[in-house]
Amino acid sequence: MKIFSCSTCGQAAFFENVRCTRCGSELAYLPDHGILSVLELSDGVLVARADSAKGERYRLCQNSIEHGVCNWAVPLADENPYCFGCRLNDVIPNLSRPGALVAWGRIEHAKKRMLYTLSDLGLPIESQHQKKGGLVFSFLESDKAASPILTGHDEGHITLNIAEADNPGRERLREQLGEAYRTLLGHFRHEIGHYYWDVLIRDTDERGAFQDLFGDADKSYEAELKRHYSEGPPPDWQNAFVSTYATMHPWEDWAETWAHYLHIADTLGTAQSYGMIIKPEAAGLSHAPRIMSVNARRVDFDDFETLINAWFPLTLALNSLNRGMGLLDAYPFVLSERAITKLHFVHDVIERASTRSRASHAS
């Protein structure tokens, strides 16, 4: 994630901000430029002030105007009242229910951050209006009289149980299931991994290499699901998988590994934007081991080895900072050599897909 700032006064701003905390200027994210900009009213039209979009005309997404759950803008020439991210929605929460608007706002923020990362990686993002099997989202609430809503993916359709936006409830569920990590953003990154398995692996030349690393994707999902919940993960699961859930089926192994790659890419991208340099001084040693140091400015995101070698010292620092605040580890995982090999495969698949997508747009 880049560092954003107010284009009026220069105050630092977060991706989700709708107003500058210093000067009060109205802010909006411009997905066509990948930046946050002040929008000023001029002759009845909102005009961007950020240098790379200066003078371009926009309107706020309809979900911003009506509900305040979105901070993305729409180019004035685009006739769709919704921004690119919101037009991917099929079903939104029932806003007549108490707390539904707050839940939807949290969901949209997580979804938009995920979309930002996909765009930054150069991955193709197509809706179901653009092609069969394209992306669409439904945010649903469980009805006690009906079957529970399960967060999942089916042929481009990602469903999320809005109960996941209830922070205390999600934390209770995380503890009940013995999970080290459970967030809205994590759900989106996992489910989008299933979508990209369909797009980038299923019917492509990548299928053979996938099977060599992750296993046979054609094995019965239902049977593996029952096995997982009756027997649990194998005792040596950490030798090959990023999480216990990844042990269920090759699809879940891929989706979990994909999600971890997005964790790495987004967090390291943020560290690079802030110019973070980590040079630890271990107690009792005159110098820290070389592997524990990183200069985020020098991370080459095209080179997986550079990327993963920067990730270890960064997570050590992040987890130490969190513990200093009495919080859970930011990244509570240990990556084995086998898991790193799988992450490398995800990296290579994304690199090839990005190259194809950019070439397609250039032509």
Side-chain angles (χ1 to χ4, degrees):
M1 181 65 70
K2 300 172 186 172
I3 299 174
F4 298 109
S5 64
C6 173
S7 34
T8 296
C9 71
Q11 172 78 354
F14 290 108
F15 176 64
E16 298 83 4
N17 283 165
V18 296
R19 196 165 296 280
C20 175
T21 56
R22 176 186 289 172
C23 69
S25 294
E26 185 172 31
L27 297 170
Y29 180 70
L30 313 182
D32 51 332
H33 287 279
I35 59 170
L36 203 67
S37 175
V38 168
L39 295 182
E40 287 188 334
L41 194 62
S42 176
D43 296 327
V45 174
L46 292 174
V47 178
R49 284 201 56 173
D51 290 342
S52 59
K54 201 170 188 67
E56 294 186 29
R57 304 193 302 169
Y58 292 88
R59 64 176 173 275
L60 294 177
C61 173
Q62 196 68 20
N63 281 336
S64 171
I65 297 169
E66 293 184 357
H67 306 295
V69 297
C70 176
N71 73 329
W72 286 25
V74 185
L76 202 61
D78 188 339
E79 295 181 358
N80 197 309
Y82 296 99
C83 73
F84 171 72
C86 286
R87 67 186 68 169
L88 296 174
N89 293 344
D90 182 44
V91 180
I92 64 170
N94 179 355
L95 299 183
S96 66
R97 298 287 187 94
L101 185 61
V102 172
W104 185 27
R106 291 172 180 167
I107 290 166
E108 281 298 328
H109 287 163
K111 187 191 78 178
K112 298 287 174 47
R113 183 171 280 263
M114 182 264 297
L115 291 173
Y116 171 94
T117 304
L118 300 180
S119 178
D120 195 50
L121 290 171
L123 287 163
I125 308 172
E126 296 176 291
S127 72
Q128 285 201 352
H129 296 295
Q130 294 172 291
K131 74 165 193 175
K132 183 179 179 181
L135 268 178
V136 65
F137 295 89
S138 292
F139 309 132
L140 305 173
E141 181 179 12
S142 290
D143 186 338
K144 294 181 180 179
S147 299
I149 298 297
L150 299 178
T151 295
H153 167 268
D154 182 22
E155 296 291 336
H157 188 179
I158 292 175
T159 301
L160 181 79
N161 187 333
I162 67 169
E164 293 291 343
D166 174 50
N167 295 336
R170 188 179 63 252
E171 177 61 14
R172 283 194 300 273
L173 190 57
R174 184 193 69 77
E175 291 189 345
Q176 289 171 11
L177 296 175
E179 296 175 339
Y181 171 91
R182 190 182 185 94
T183 67
L184 280 171
L185 184 55
H187 281 312
F188 277 117
R189 287 174 172 167
H190 174 96
E191 299 306 336
I192 206 69
H194 287 301
Y195 168 74
Y196 280 109
W197 189 88
D198 289 353
V199 174
L200 304 178
I201 303 293
R202 183 173 59 186
D203 300 316
T204 74
D205 294 339
E206 307 280 11
R207 183 73 181 255
F210 168 87
Q211 182 159 323
D212 290 343
L213 274 176
F214 294 87
D216 183 8
D218 290 331
K219 65 171 64 175
S220 169
Y221 187 85
E222 289 74 18
E224 292 301 293
L225 181 72
K226 290 178 181 178
R227 175 200 56 75
H228 178 78
Y229 283 111
S230 64
E231 301 176 9
D236 61 347
W237 67 267
Q238 283 188 315
N239 293 337
F241 301 92
V242 295
S243 69
T244 56
Y245 194 67
T247 68
M248 184 193 300
H249 188 277
W251 285 342
E252 300 302 348
D253 192 7
W254 162 267
E256 283 287 272
T257 306
W258 175 280
H260 278 250
Y261 184 82
L262 296 192
H263 294 333
I264 292 168
D266 187 84
T267 308
L268 273 173
T270 304
Q272 187 174 73
S273 292
Y274 277 91
M276 291 182 66
I277 298 175
I278 299 172
K279 297 178 68 175
E281 295 182 8
L285 294 176
S286 59
H287 65 278
R290 184 182 298 271
I291 191 64
M292 293 176 64
S293 300
V294 64
N295 184 338
R297 288 285 194 199
R298 296 178 182 173
V299 174
D300 180 359
F301 281 75
D302 294 329
D303 181 354
F304 178 79
E305 294 302 324
T306 305
L307 200 69
I308 199 68
N309 286 335
W311 182 238
F312 294 124
L314 179 63
T315 55
L316 179 63
L318 287 174
N319 290 346
S320 297
L321 290 169
N322 267 28
R323 292 184 186 197
M325 289 293 293
L327 300 172
L328 297 175
D329 285 353
Y331 189 74
F333 302 96
V334 176
L335 298 176
S336 67
E337 287 301 318
R338 180 72 173 176
I340 291 169
T341 300
K342 293 175 183 178
L343 283 164
H344 197 164
F345 177 71
V346 171
H347 170 86
D348 289 343
V349 168
I350 289 175
E351 286 285 297
R352 289 189 283 270
S354 173
T355 299
R356 292 193 301 270
S357 180
R358 285 169 175 147
S360 174
H361 282 96
S363 61

